[in-house]
Amino acid sequence: MMPAITFIIPGFLPAPAAITAADLPACPYLQKLLARADQRPQSRDSHEYLLAQFGCPADTVAPYAALSHLADRGETRSNVLRADPVHLSAGREGVMLFDNTMLQLQADEAESLAETVRPLLTEFAAELEVAAPERWYLLCEQPIAITTQPLMQVIGRDVSDRLPTGDDRTRCRRLFNEIQMTLHEAPVNQTRERRGQLPVNSLWFWGEGDLPALGTTAFDACFSNDPLAQGLARWRDIPVRSLPANLGELLAQPAAATAQPSLLVLDNRAERFHAYQDAAGWLQFIERFEQDWAQPLYRALRRGQLSSIDILPGDSHYHCRRRHVARFWRRPSAARLTAASG
C-alpha cells in the first residue's frame, strides 16, 4: 500500500511574529521531519501551489468563488463572486477588515442580513446566496469587470488601497456604500451591538473567474475542510472527504487502501492565526499538530508504512522519504519554526 501524503498547511510557518523559540511547546517530531527532509523555497502561496497541482496554468486567475461554490452546492456556475460578510473598523492605521473569525455569525443572522441586502442588487441583476454564515455568493447574469483581493490577504489589514479595480469598479464601490448604509440600520446588527458583538457592516467581493480547464493531477483523494481544495477535487472528479482528526483516521479511509495512493491533506486553520497574529491559537494548533500528525507521520515513515511525506507549511516545501529519517546529523532546530526559511 505505502501511501504518499502531501500535507499543505497555509500560514503555518513561520510562527506569528510575537512567538520566540522559548514559547514553543515540545514538538520534537515536527522538528525532526523538517530538519531531515529535503527542503526548497516555496515562492507561490499555498493556493497557487494547489492550483498548479491540479493542472491549472500558471497564469490562471484563481477562481476561488466558482470552486468554493462547486464545493458548497455541487454545481458549476459562471459569473459568481464571493460576497462574504465582514466588519470594517476605521482607526489610525486605516480601515481594517475583520472576517467571521471575529464575527461568529449565526445562520439565522446571516440569512436575515442577506435579506436586507438583496434589494440593492437589481443593478447587477444578481442573486445573493448564503451557503454558510461566513460564505456568501453573488450570482450574476453577466460578468462584473473587476479585479479583487482574496479575503485572506486583507484580513486584519487596511483595505483602503485593496478595493476592487477594473471597468466596473465605480459601480461596485457605489454598491459597497449602499450595502454599508443598509447594514448599519439592520435590526440584527443593532441586537449584536447591544450584546457587545461586532456588527456586519460590509460585504467583501472577491474570487472572480470561471472554472479552469484542469489538467492531470497526481492525487487520488483529497481530505480537507477548505472549500477551494474541495472544489478542485470535485472539478477533477477525485474523492474528497473532510479533514481527518489524525493520521490514523486518514489511513483508515478507503482511499488510503488502494495501491500506492497519493493523498492530499489540506488544513487551513493556521491561516487566521497568522492573519490576526493570534499567538495563543497558533501555539495550541502546533501542539495538536505534533500529537495528531507529526509524531505518527515520523513513526510511520520510519517503519516503511508511508512512501513519502511532503509538507508545505507556507514558507518552504519539505520532502521526506524513509531513508531521510536516518539523517541523524541534521539537528532539529526551533529556529526553523520561528523565522522565515530562505
Side-chain angles (χ1 to χ4, degrees):
M1 185 173 71
M2 292 187 62
I5 299 176
T6 297
F7 213 122
I8 302 177
I9 324 169
F12 186 25
L13 298 180
I19 294 175
T20 67
D23 299 319
L24 292 173
C27 48
Y29 290 94
L30 175 60
Q31 292 185 37
K32 286 179 184 179
L33 280 172
L34 300 185
R36 295 174 185 177
D38 289 335
Q39 177 194 359
R40 62 178 183 270
Q42 178 61 26
S43 58
R44 294 173 292 187
D45 70 29
S46 299
H47 289 153
E48 291 171 342
Y49 174 85
L50 184 64
L51 288 163
Q53 297 308 299
F54 279 85
C56 296
D59 58 351
T60 299
V61 175
Y64 295 107
L67 286 166
S68 62
H69 190 267
L70 175 59
D72 279 326
R73 296 304 194 203
E75 61 183 27
T76 58
R77 290 280 312 219
S78 297
N79 307 325
V80 56
L81 284 169
R82 289 277 289 269
D84 295 339
V86 298
H87 175 80
L88 300 180
S89 177
R92 288 184 300 175
E93 297 181 359
V95 181
M96 313 300 285
L97 181 146
F98 303 94
D99 76 334
N100 199 55
T101 304
M102 297 299 187
L103 294 171
Q104 296 296 301
L105 198 60
Q106 301 301 305
D108 58 337
E109 294 177 314
E111 189 53 52
S112 177
L113 290 168
E115 192 60 31
T116 68
V117 171
R118 289 187 174 109
L120 306 176
L121 304 175
T122 53
E123 180 182 351
F124 289 91
E127 299 176 19
L128 186 61
E129 179 182 274
V130 177
E134 72 277 15
R135 282 194 308 282
W136 300 11
Y137 294 94
L138 198 63
L139 309 178
C140 308
E141 290 185 5
Q142 300 294 326
I144 300 178
I146 55 173
T147 300
T148 66
Q149 295 285 319
L151 181 64
M152 282 307 306
Q153 295 180 13
V154 296
I155 289 174
R157 299 181 181 181
D158 178 15
V159 301
S160 302
D161 59 352
R162 295 179 169 89
L163 294 172
T165 60
D167 292 345
D168 284 332
R169 65 186 182 279
T170 301
R171 286 202 304 154
C172 277
R173 293 183 183 185
R174 184 168 64 246
L175 177 59
F176 280 152
N177 291 335
E178 293 173 355
I179 289 173
Q180 289 169 13
M181 288 187 291
T182 298
L183 289 175
H184 178 73
E185 302 296 331
V188 167
N189 275 330
Q190 295 174 4
T191 300
R192 287 177 61 86
E193 290 190 89
R194 285 195 295 270
R195 293 199 299 250
Q197 296 175 298
L198 292 176
V200 176
N201 59 14
S202 190
L203 303 183
W204 189 255
F205 292 173
W206 67 286
E208 69 279 0
D210 290 336
L211 291 171
L214 296 182
T216 59
T217 182
F219 299 125
D220 299 304
C222 170
F223 300 87
S224 181
N225 294 335
D226 182 90
L228 177 63
Q230 292 178 339
L232 281 166
R234 285 181 178 271
W235 188 231
R236 189 59 185 80
D237 198 27
I238 66 172
V240 56
R241 300 288 183 270
S242 59
L243 181 71
N246 50 53
L247 180 63
E249 188 175 304
L250 171 68
L251 296 180
Q253 299 290 324
T258 58
Q260 302 294 324
S262 178
L263 308 178
L264 168 66
V265 181
L266 190 146
D267 186 342
N268 66 358
R269 290 175 294 176
E271 281 188 294
R272 281 169 171 78
F273 299 139
H274 254 281
Y276 290 111
Q277 290 295 296
D278 179 359
W282 187 91
L283 288 168
Q284 291 176 355
F285 180 84
I286 195 174
E287 191 169 18
R288 293 303 310 174
F289 186 83
E290 171 74 10
Q291 178 179 329
D292 296 335
W293 291 101
Q295 183 182 74
L297 281 169
Y298 182 87
R299 290 177 172 174
L301 192 64
R302 187 176 59 187
R303 291 193 294 260
Q305 295 173 319
L306 301 176
S307 62
S308 65
I309 302 169
D310 286 87
I311 301 177
L312 290 93
D315 66 339
S316 292
H317 185 154
Y318 298 89
H319 176 73
C320 198
R321 294 182 175 274
R322 185 183 186 186
R323 66 177 184 272
H324 297 160
V325 174
R327 292 170 166 173
F328 60 87
W329 60 90
R330 292 194 176 185
R331 303 291 297 275
S333 170
R336 193 181 299 272
L337 307 182
T338 57
S341 301

